[in-house]
Amino acid sequence: MTVELDWGNLGFEYRNLPFRYISYYKDGKWDEGSLTGDAQLHLSESSPALHYGQQGFEGLKAYRTKNGDIQLFRPDRNAARLQATAKRLRMAEVPTEKFIDAVMQVVKANEEFVPPYGTGATLYIRPLLIGVGDVIGVKPATEYIFTVFAMPVGSYFKGGLAPSSFVISREYDRAAPLGTGGSKVGGNYAASLQAEVEAKEGGYADAIYLDPATHTKIEEVGAANFFGITANNEFITPLSPSILPSITKYSLLYLAEHHLGMKAIEGDVYVTDLDQFIEVGACGTAAVITPVGSIDDGEIHHVFHSETEVGPTIRRLFDELVGIQFGDVEAPEGWIYKVK
Ligand code: PLP
Ligand code: COI
């Protein structure tokens, strides 16, 4: 059973659902954790998450299948990435089993908000880990809160599987060469807000960032990874320590090679070589696959396939990925977790 919502027209907006999960770390260990109806966090005014950005988060989705079941896509990968983020920011790690159990509890408790199959909408799940407690010097917290909340969402970029236009950020980097670009931490997004707002004011969906050391290579979009398709049947995506290791991207690398018979490559993507691509896409949990119709770089306007039509390879990749996520296409071993 689902509640009544305009499922086909959901945007990517916060919604306060009945239940979320919360767990506290103190004296070197996590408590059991539990569901709560309270959507407010209560924390010390001196929490390191607030002052020094000691926090990390994740994003994953629950999908309703044709027969009404609910399933998750590779939640173990999100757990592992949050652990890597925790290591980088010297936070307490959330064990994989605890992470997946928390996600399952939240999905089950809010089951009626998991959108019906066929609407294209999904339940977006946001795990969050923050350093809390009475700390004022710059040092890691000794107490942490791990919370998981969720909301039904539609497309992140307007139009879903319709091409969007992007602009290369020449004035702002989102990450530093040896910084935290490879971790899912709020600071990266704070650093991207200026470029994102300016991109949107210019009529673009978002900005595309260059490698912060040389500014010659494509890194990623503000909220998604980047890939391109060449006329030689290659799927190419940037390899860099300062981009987020996207679970969608690694899934597409696998599907491109093993399901579509393409050559899948992680490597340098120079801005000067952008015209090698006949199709370009942005990929991520929220973005799914968003076709990149065009990229502006100063005066240069690059068009990929079409500014209005989705290209054939991106459509095949989309059908394969989304088919797996919604249970219509057989998934590689271990990718799908049923919510029971
Ligand atoms: N890059 C950035 C900066 C992101 O925020 C996201 C979203 O999570 C991604 C890439 C895509 O990662 P994933 O496919 O794991 O959602
Ligand atoms: C995601 O795709 O899960 C993201 O985190 C992207 C964005 C909403 C920050």
Side-chain angles (χ1 to χ4, degrees):
M1 280 292 287
T2 53
V3 295
E4 280 206 16
L5 282 179
D6 186 6
W7 298 112
N9 291 305
L10 295 176
F12 196 86
E13 303 293 339
Y14 175 74
R15 185 181 289 264
N16 181 342
L17 296 199
F19 297 102
R20 69 274 304 122
Y21 169 96
I22 190 156
S23 182
Y24 298 89
Y25 181 95
K26 207 173 173 179
D27 300 327
K29 56 181 187 305
W30 287 106
D31 70 7
E32 188 55 24
S34 60
L35 291 172
T36 169
D38 187 358
Q40 308 297 314
L41 290 174
H42 304 273
L43 43 109
S44 167
E45 61 191 3
S46 70
S47 291
L50 300 178
H51 299 261
Y52 309 125
Q54 199 198 18
Q55 62 85 262
F57 69 99
E58 273 303 322
L60 68 163
K61 286 173 168 174
Y63 305 83
R64 177 90 62 182
T65 66
K66 203 178 264 175
N67 67 8
D69 289 351
I70 300 172
Q71 58 188 33
L72 305 171
F73 182 72
R74 312 191 78 179
D76 56 317
R77 298 288 80 219
N78 295 93
R81 191 170 61 190
L82 186 60
Q83 288 155 10
T85 294
K87 271 203 180 77
R88 178 65 178 81
L89 263 62
R90 301 298 293 238
M91 298 191 282
E93 291 178 35
V94 178
T96 301
E97 203 179 309
K98 184 178 181 72
F99 179 98
I100 294 177
D101 173 59
V103 169
M104 294 270 187
Q105 285 193 45
V106 170
V107 175
K108 271 191 277 189
N110 297 294
E111 182 170 352
E112 58 190 357
F113 288 90
V114 181
Y117 174 83
T119 58
T122 52
L123 187 79
Y124 182 72
I125 303 156
R126 175 54 64 86
L128 173 69
L129 175 64
I130 60 176
V132 298
D134 301 334
V135 177
I136 199 62
V138 178
K139 60 184 173 205
T142 54
E143 296 176 21
Y144 293 87
I145 291 177
F146 172 56
T147 178
V148 179
F149 57 98
M151 71 223 70
V153 297
S155 301
Y156 186 76
F157 291 116
K158 252 203 315 268
L161 194 58
S164 293
S165 51
F166 290 80
V167 61
I168 295 202
S169 172
R170 287 279 175 187
E171 283 190 55
Y172 313 103
D173 292 327
R174 68 177 276 287
L178 297 175
T180 55
S183 307
K184 203 160 171 65
V185 301
N188 297 337
Y189 299 84
S192 77
L193 292 174
Q194 180 81 9
E196 189 203 320
V197 170
E198 288 184 15
K200 288 195 171 138
E201 284 168 355
Y204 302 100
D206 204 346
I208 292 177
Y209 297 92
L210 300 180
D211 73 291
T214 70
H215 299 111
T216 57
K217 293 176 268 186
I218 299 280
E219 293 251 290
E220 62 176 324
V221 180
N225 271 184
F226 176 99
F227 68 86
I229 310 293
T230 69
N232 298 328
N233 205 28
E234 294 162 322
F235 175 102
I236 305 180
T237 184
L239 180 64
S240 155
S242 49
I243 66 178
L244 192 76
S246 156
I247 294 156
T248 315
K249 188 264 293 278
Y250 284 111
S251 304
L252 289 176
L253 277 163
Y254 180 90
L255 295 174
E257 184 175 339
H258 295 96
H259 290 202
L260 270 66
M262 303 177 73
K263 188 161 183 213
I265 301 163
E266 263 188 299
D268 290 336
V269 176
Y270 287 94
V271 194
T272 45
D273 287 345
L274 267 180
D275 289 331
Q276 71 179 304
F277 297 126
I278 53 172
E279 293 179 51
V280 167
C283 65
T285 299
V288 193
I289 297 179
T290 298
V292 174
S294 65
I295 296 177
D296 280 350
D297 182 13
E299 297 297 301
I300 309 169
H301 182 64
H302 302 269
V303 175
F304 307 99
H305 184 70
S306 152
E307 288 181 274
T308 52
E309 305 281 322
V310 51
T313 305
I314 286 191
R315 181 170 288 284
R316 283 173 66 210
L317 285 166
F318 180 91
D319 288 346
E320 199 70 15
L321 174 73
V322 174
I324 288 169
Q325 291 171 332
F326 282 100
D328 295 327
V329 172
E330 193 177 340
E333 179 82 26
W335 281 21
I336 295 295
Y337 285 58
K338 291 274 180 200
V339 179
K340 294 197 189 98

